[in-house]
Amino acid sequence: MTGQISPTRRASFWKTKRVFFVTPQVLEKDIQSGTCLAKYLVCLVIDEAHRALGNYSYCVAVRELMAMPVHLRVLALTATPGSKQPAIQKIIDNLYISTLEYRNESDPDVSPYVHNRKIELIEVPLGQDAAEVNNRLLEVIRPYVARLHAVGLIQNRDYQTLSPVDLLNSRDKFRQAPPPDLPHVKHGEVEASFAVLITLYHIRKLLSSHGIRPAYEMLEEKLRQGPFSRLMRKNEDIMNAKLLMQRSLSHGAPSPKLSKMLEVLVDHFQTKDPQNSRVIIFSNFRGSVRDIMNALASIGDLVKATEFIGQSSGKALKGQSQKVQQAVLEKFRAGGYNVIVATSIGEEGLDIMEVDLVICFDANVSPLRMIQRMGRTGRKHEGQVVVLACQGSELKGYMRKQANSRSINKHMQNGGMNSFNFHSSPRMVPHIFKPEVQFVELSIEQFVPRGKKLKEDHTVETPPFREKLSVAESDLIAKYFHSTSESTWRPSLIAFPNFQAFPSKVYKVMHSCRTEMLIDSMQYLQGLTFPGGNGNFFVEAEVSSGDCFGVGIVEQHDSSSKDLLVLDNSPVANAQLGVTDSAELPMRTIRTKEKYDEPNSGCKSPQEHSYLFGSDFVSVDALGKVLIISVPSLYFEDVMHSKHVSPSTKELQNCLNQETYHVKTPDGIMQTEAVPNVTTSQTKSTKDDTLPTPRFCETDSEKEKMLDGVEKIPGTPGGTCETPDIEEIKALPPLADEHCRDLQDTELSPRLTNLIKIGVVPESPITDSGILKHKIRNESLIPDLASPAKLGTELLLRSSSPVENERGIMDNSPYGRNVSVMKDEMTPLVKMNPVSSTKHSPSSPLAETKTPLAHLTNSSGSKSWRLNSGEVATVEHVQKFKRLRKVGNCGKARSSKSMKENSIVSVANLAKSFSGASPIRTKHGRGKKKPENDVRTFIDEEAEVSTEAEISAEEEDDDNESYDDSFIDDRINPTAGSNQTECGRVDMMAIYRRSLLSQSPMVMQSTSFSPDCVASTSKDNGSGCSSGKMFNSLQVPQLESINQPARKYTESFQMEERISSESMPFGTNDFAIENKSMQSRKRKLSFFQLETIPAINLDQEFSLESEVGGKESSKASQQPQVDKITVNENEFDDDDDQFYASLDLDAVEAQATLLLKHQSEPPIEKQEKIVPPNLQNGGLQGSPSFDLGIW
Amino acid sequence: MDDNNTPSLDPDLIGAIFKHIWARKAHERERNGIQSTDALDSEVGAGTSKKYRPTSTNADALKLSSELLRIFITEAVQRAATIAEAEGGTEIEATHVERILPQLLLDF
């Protein structure tokens, strides 16, 4: 045990072990502290017993042990008990030795273990320079010695043989007993003389034994300071000696000893392998160690020498720490060095392996140390000791000391009984036992260096906890933590980069900003720009609106539209028509903001909702196209959610929600389909040419019809032609993800711009300057969109400008513009020829809007998909219409029939709305979170349909609830806020409903009537119908944009119409009939819807009416598509009419159902009844379509 | 730490672990010190003889460390559990931990 082991550990060792190897210091301390159980000690073996002098630990420990009533034997071993009899006696006293056994190497029991050791004494003559210097120094010494001799302090001796030790002894004598005859004043002088002499003799000794350089350095140092320099500075002889030394040093100061030593070394290594042979050179003086090292460096590779010195750091040489010393010995053992130049620390107590040659660079050392030095060799085999002695005093000293040790040996003879006093100790072994000598060979199989033993203990030690573990647990540990530290399992931070692209679910600790940074960067690195963009959008939306709407794109639109809407709201209130347009925007904003304060926008809000939906759809389409990457779908979902949230405030919103749900489901389908689309995009494009074209044609035709109706622009064929191209182009981009991303980005911006434009547009329609505004808007949009898009928008604006005279036209144009904007977005994304499409003017924009849908369908690649999307869109429109109708009906009935009811209802509605709104919001918030989660899951699983359906269902439920409330609220709000505005809204709603109803029959009239209706507040039923038809038709193809304007127009028209006339039932009846006729188509559509959208069922449950309407609309849209597919472009007009009729029928049916519901519950039941059959039909027919949806 | 219901780690254990790690680090440092001086042919070695003094922790710091470790462990387990559940497994494997590890480390 050493001091490196902690006391607590030592204590445990003392208790558990029987044999200890302890340093004397540790033994001393542990005996004093009591941790060593001294009572049980039986035998104490002391090595190097000659150290037991003074208060060394040996002495202290033995004294402590002797003070205790302990019976123990002390066995003290030493090779060098002492150089003088008194010294040996002291050791005997200190260790309470009772018997002394002396052996020398010639004794029989030692000789077998001792190898022949050849001791060679080499006399080296003092060098010429050294001799001269020596003489000089003697010259200096002589007067001082003479002076002291005169005083009687130095005995009569030759001053040349005096040694520093002699002088020291003399000085001690002088200090203890100064001669009485010496005057006290002279004491200082004598002291100074002694000091000078001691120094000089020391230098002389260095000179003789180590050479000129150490002596010179000593002299130099002494001359620099102290009393020696004061006395000697003026001494010529010393200066001469110094000069002489300096001169010889400048010549290299070849020392005869050094050269002799090198000679011996070379001889040695010539006879022995330098790799295996080890040499130790002892020098008593550190300065000479450096000289020796320098000299050895000249020998070359044969000698790999290092120094081995003590720890104390002097001025010239730094000492070596214990660690360095141990490292040196380690390398010496391993063969890194074969020569060690050591000072006295290498003489004893060190575990130095076998050494072949020991060179004693100085001979005049004590016999003890000489014996220790010689003990370094000859242990296992023969060794050689070379003693280099300088002629003169050194040699004489050596000889004297050898004689001295011999005399001591005589004292040791015979156990030293005659020379020393011993301490008796009682016999410990009972007399009955007679111990016998047994020879047991104890061999150390493998030497383990102590330094490493500690560390190995750590690793090899089996921790105690292992015993407490079950087998399974220990197996688990072994699985990840092997016994060797190198193979310990380390978790990898880079194993799952895909999991770092989105935040992991947290338990209690939320993600830090650093984690979010990581996620963002991972998304960026992995090219998941969509998620990142969505996240950004989310953030922006949250910041801007503060609402919890999670949908980024939608939110952005909403926010932008909100601002515009806020501005527009005031003008909207003033002018109904203008208001309608503006109102749509404000409504959106209001809805998003959930501001019930502005009830005016309530009627408009549905339109806006539809508009939003349209934009959303468009975006979705674009996304869907782009979405080939699964990620976008999630975004779409989010968008949808946000949309749902906004609509929640209003009934229209409810419809929109349903629509959005539908859209969501299609999106999911789209997503699922997207993958195949990407792969087979080209093939799809070809297919699209065939199948999609009809659809496009249909949509185009519808749009064209709408346009024609309004403006009678013959751009339809061009538009249709263009659309397929666009589709193809679009189909291509999906292939490249990057393109898709770019497209998406551009799309986003265009959407925003669209919103802005829309917001501006409403204002413009009111005034003629709208064109300019539109242009400005277009320009603003232009930067975002591609230049062709600008052209297209401009063209659209131009085309709309002529139409601007009529607000309705204006509205249409803005819609068209919106559509065009959407188109522009699409176009830049697709890099199509937007100009050409835009040139076609309103029709083209419509076509463009249609095209996105078609693109969506194209992306889906399968007709079923297209149908689904179309159905969804139609469904949404239908729902919107239905809602509007419902609202209108309610409003009409309430407003016209009894204001009291309205007020009451309004109050109730308000309360409901507020309550509904808050839950909706919360729900929306949840929905958002859910969508995000869903998105993640989607990304992970890529199976989005189910989750989307669920989400949509949830949202739908919420929306439905909220819608009802919101509708009521809206109505109420208008009434409360301003009767006029309220009435207007109500009227608008009614008009919408009526128009929808009437539109179906009046399909043909729609085009020409719409402008008139817009222009004049009081509109004919027919015009209203036409407008409604137009809207319906527009809505069907364009879904969003068209629906909105149509709604607006229809609302305004319908308001008056409804108020004035009661043609609604008829229309409804007609519609019902038509619906019946259309049931087959509807059924198909419904099948698709049912199949694709599970959420629809929920919606149906919540609001059968809306669902039915949606189904019908979807059916209608599907039908037209089918028809279009079959029918040629020429036939489109007819088809369009049919489509319009179907749409109208659907709308009429929805309206009728709404009216019936509002008026009386039975009708609702009827509607419900009607709906189920449709659903059933759809289910029956939908079996094939299901497959598509499942895809 | 506030509620007694939640089991917390034994501060003594944490302290022991800390000391174990510190001791090992110190050993490594010393070894590196020797090697570096060895490289210099053991000519200059006086600077490395600094006495190794073990790092220590006071009681409050240990308590706090224990709580932090507890939260860290529970969070890691819970997150890994969600991953494991998502994969339909009932056992948390190393791969599950690896999946949540980067973000977990950044969260703490």
Side-chain angles (χ1 to χ4, degrees), chain A residues 99-243:
Chain A
T99 310
L100 187 146
E101 293 283 341
Y102 174 80
R103 301 284 187 278
N104 64 18
E105 48 208 21
S106 59
D107 282 331
D109 50 351
V110 176
S111 54
Y113 306 103
V114 176
H115 298 275
N116 192 15
R117 196 159 47 191
K118 189 166 64 181
I119 298 173
E120 188 178 357
L121 178 64
I122 298 176
E123 285 189 38
V124 179
L126 202 59
Q128 197 181 350
D129 292 339
E132 210 168 320
V133 172
N134 194 24
N135 289 337
R136 297 278 179 185
L137 288 177
L138 284 176
E139 287 298 312
V140 179
I141 287 168
R142 192 165 48 194
Y144 291 96
V145 173
R147 196 179 304 161
L148 290 176
H149 188 69
V151 186
L153 292 173
I154 294 178
Q155 302 307 317
N156 203 6
R157 284 174 68 180
D158 183 6
Y159 66 89
Q160 289 189 12
T161 62
L162 280 172
S163 72
V165 183
D166 294 332
L167 287 169
L168 278 174
N169 291 337
S170 303
R171 193 173 65 173
D172 286 346
K173 218 178 286 175
F174 164 73
R175 282 178 184 168
Q176 285 167 6
D181 55 338
L182 192 68
H184 200 66
V185 226
K186 287 225 167 182
H187 281 198
E189 193 182 333
V190 170
E191 281 282 339
S193 298
F194 269 121
V196 168
L197 280 178
I198 288 168
T199 306
L200 286 174
Y201 273 109
H202 191 67
I203 291 168
R204 214 179 136 230
K205 190 181 164 190
L206 283 177
L207 183 68
S208 62
S209 61
H210 296 287
I212 293 174
R213 184 186 295 275
Y216 174 75
E217 284 171 0
M218 178 86 174
L219 182 63
E220 187 94 295
E221 188 185 337
K222 289 291 177 187
L223 280 177
R224 215 175 291 138
Q225 55 179 2
F228 182 79
S229 66
R230 275 204 302 275
L231 282 170
M232 286 295 151
R233 197 157 286 163
K234 293 155 193 169
N235 191 310
E236 278 191 19
D237 287 330
I238 199 81
M239 285 306 159
N240 286 338
K242 195 184 160 197
L243 275 176

Side-chain angles (χ1 to χ4, degrees), chain A residues 648-677:
Chain A
S648 64
T649 55
K650 297 174 183 179
E651 291 178 354
L652 295 174
Q653 291 175 353
N654 291 329
C655 297
L656 294 171
N657 290 332
Q658 292 176 353
E659 292 174 356
T660 56
Y661 291 116
H662 295 295
V663 174
K664 290 176 180 177
T665 55
D667 292 343
I669 296 164
M670 291 299 288
Q671 292 173 352
T672 56
E673 293 175 355
V675 176
N677 291 334

Side-chain angles (χ1 to χ4, degrees), chain A residues 898-937:
Chain A
S898 63
M899 295 300 289
K900 293 178 182 178
E901 291 178 354
N902 291 332
S903 63
I904 295 165
V905 175
S906 66
V907 174
N909 291 330
L910 290 169
K912 292 177 181 177
S913 66
F914 286 109
S915 62
S918 61
I920 292 163
R921 291 177 183 176
T922 57
K923 291 176 180 177
H924 288 299
R926 294 175 186 174
K928 291 175 181 178
K929 293 177 180 177
K930 292 176 180 178
E932 292 176 356
N933 296 332
D934 296 337
V935 173
R936 296 173 187 173
T937 56

Side-chain angles (χ1 to χ4, degrees), chain A residues 321 324 328 337 479-480 489 492-493 496 499-500 502-509 511-512 514-515 518, chain B residues 31 38 41-43 45 48-49 71 75 78-79 83 93-95 98-99 101-103 105-108:
Chain A
S321 70
V324 177
V328 167
Y337 303 123
K479 186 176 175 185
Y480 296 115
W489 177 79
S492 167
L493 289 174
F496 298 98
F499 276 81
Q500 310 314 325
F502 52 90
S504 62
K505 279 186 180 177
V506 297
Y507 172 58
K508 276 181 180 172
V509 180
H511 285 307
S512 67
R514 290 172 297 176
T515 304
L518 171 74
Chain B
R31 206 189 308 154
D38 235 11
D41 212 9
S42 69
E43 296 261 0
T48 61
S49 63
I71 293 172
E75 185 70 22
Q78 293 286 351
R79 288 189 188 184
I83 298 285
E93 297 285 349
T95 57
E98 280 178 338
R99 253 166 261 192
L101 191 57
Q103 293 183 18
L105 291 180
L106 283 175
D107 287 341
F108 280 88

Side-chain angles (χ1 to χ4, degrees), chain A residues 1040-1052:
Chain A
E1040 297 169 356
S1041 63
I1042 296 167
N1043 289 330
Q1044 292 174 354
R1047 290 176 184 175
K1048 293 176 182 178
Y1049 293 111
T1050 56
E1051 287 176 354
S1052 63

Side-chain angles (χ1 to χ4, degrees), chain A residues 446-519:
Chain A
Q446 190 186 0
F447 174 73
V448 180
R450 182 177 53 84
K452 288 181 180 174
K453 220 186 288 180
L454 282 176
K455 290 166 194 166
E456 285 178 5
D457 281 350
H458 277 300
T459 55
V460 172
E461 203 177 335
T462 55
F465 69 82
R466 279 279 161 79
E467 300 162 5
K468 300 176 186 172
L469 296 176
S470 68
V471 178
E473 286 169 338
S474 53
D475 283 349
L476 199 63
I477 289 176
K479 186 176 175 185
Y480 296 115
F481 300 98
H482 301 287
S483 56
T484 51
S485 61
E486 287 78 15
S487 60
T488 298
W489 177 79
R490 289 180 179 280
S492 167
L493 289 174
I494 59 173
F496 298 98
N498 290 332
F499 276 81
Q500 310 314 325
F502 52 90
S504 62
K505 279 186 180 177
V506 297
Y507 172 58
K508 276 181 180 172
V509 180
M510 294 298 119
H511 285 307
S512 67
C513 59
R514 290 172 297 176
T515 304
E516 284 160 6
M517 284 172 64
L518 171 74
I519 293 165

Side-chain angles (χ1 to χ4, degrees), chain A residues 173-428:
Chain A
K173 218 178 286 175
F174 164 73
R175 282 178 184 168
Q176 285 167 6
D181 55 338
L182 192 68
H184 200 66
V185 226
K186 287 225 167 182
H187 281 198
E189 193 182 333
V190 170
E191 281 282 339
S193 298
F194 269 121
V196 168
L197 280 178
I198 288 168
T199 306
L200 286 174
Y201 273 109
H202 191 67
I203 291 168
R204 214 179 136 230
K205 190 181 164 190
L206 283 177
L207 183 68
S208 62
S209 61
H210 296 287
I212 293 174
R213 184 186 295 275
Y216 174 75
E217 284 171 0
M218 178 86 174
L219 182 63
E220 187 94 295
E221 188 185 337
K222 289 291 177 187
L223 280 177
R224 215 175 291 138
Q225 55 179 2
F228 182 79
S229 66
R230 275 204 302 275
L231 282 170
M232 286 295 151
R233 197 157 286 163
K234 293 155 193 169
N235 191 310
E236 278 191 19
D237 287 330
I238 199 81
M239 285 306 159
N240 286 338
K242 195 184 160 197
L243 275 176
L244 207 59
M245 292 155 81
Q246 224 162 0
R247 205 185 313 144
S248 80
L249 281 177
S250 64
H251 292 148
S255 164
K257 262 193 178 178
L258 276 177
S259 54
K260 189 72 188 171
M261 180 201 72
L262 294 180
E263 203 177 302
V264 171
L265 263 182
V266 170
D267 284 348
H268 173 75
F269 282 122
Q270 275 172 356
T271 57
K272 306 232 174 184
D273 180 14
Q275 295 297 323
N276 296 326
S277 182
R278 300 284 186 278
V279 174
I280 292 181
I281 300 170
F282 284 110
S283 170
N284 209 19
F285 190 66
R286 240 189 235 184
S288 67
V289 168
R290 194 191 51 203
D291 280 349
I292 295 165
M293 289 294 295
N294 292 336
L296 290 176
S298 65
I299 295 182
D301 297 337
L302 204 60
V303 172
K304 290 171 284 186
T306 186
E307 60 183 0
F308 188 60
I309 57 177
Q311 298 188 51
S312 64
S313 294
K315 293 161 203 151
L317 280 175
K318 267 190 168 176
Q320 284 176 326
S321 70
Q322 266 191 351
K323 295 189 187 306
V324 177
Q325 287 171 0
Q326 285 173 358
V328 167
L329 289 180
E330 185 71 31
K331 286 191 91 171
F332 185 66
R333 272 186 221 107
Y337 303 123
N338 57 10
V339 173
I340 281 183
V341 182
T343 58
S344 59
I345 70 153
E347 287 172 358
E348 63 179 288
L350 287 174
D351 179 34
I352 295 176
M353 64 170 289
E354 182 61 17
V355 172
D356 299 313
L357 174 65
V358 171
I359 297 175
C360 299
F361 197 70
D362 45 0
N364 194 9
V365 293
S366 75
L368 289 183
R369 291 171 60 188
M370 194 57 78
I371 290 169
Q372 292 284 355
R373 285 178 178 186
M374 290 190 292
R376 294 296 113 196
T377 188
R379 288 183 170 183
K380 287 178 183 167
H381 46 82
E382 294 187 2
Q384 188 184 16
V385 177
V386 174
V387 179
L388 297 175
C390 186
Q391 283 177 339
S393 60
E394 190 180 14
L395 184 60
K396 287 177 198 160
Y398 174 74
M399 297 307 286
R400 192 170 65 233
K401 278 162 187 166
Q402 287 298 311
N404 215 347
S405 68
R406 271 194 294 275
S407 71
I408 289 294
N409 287 348
K410 283 178 191 161
H411 285 291
M412 302 291 191
Q413 300 295 341
N414 303 322
M417 295 298 288
N418 304 324
S419 309
F420 304 109
N421 300 319
F422 292 106
H423 305 267
S424 64
S425 66
R427 179 188 173 96
M428 289 176 72

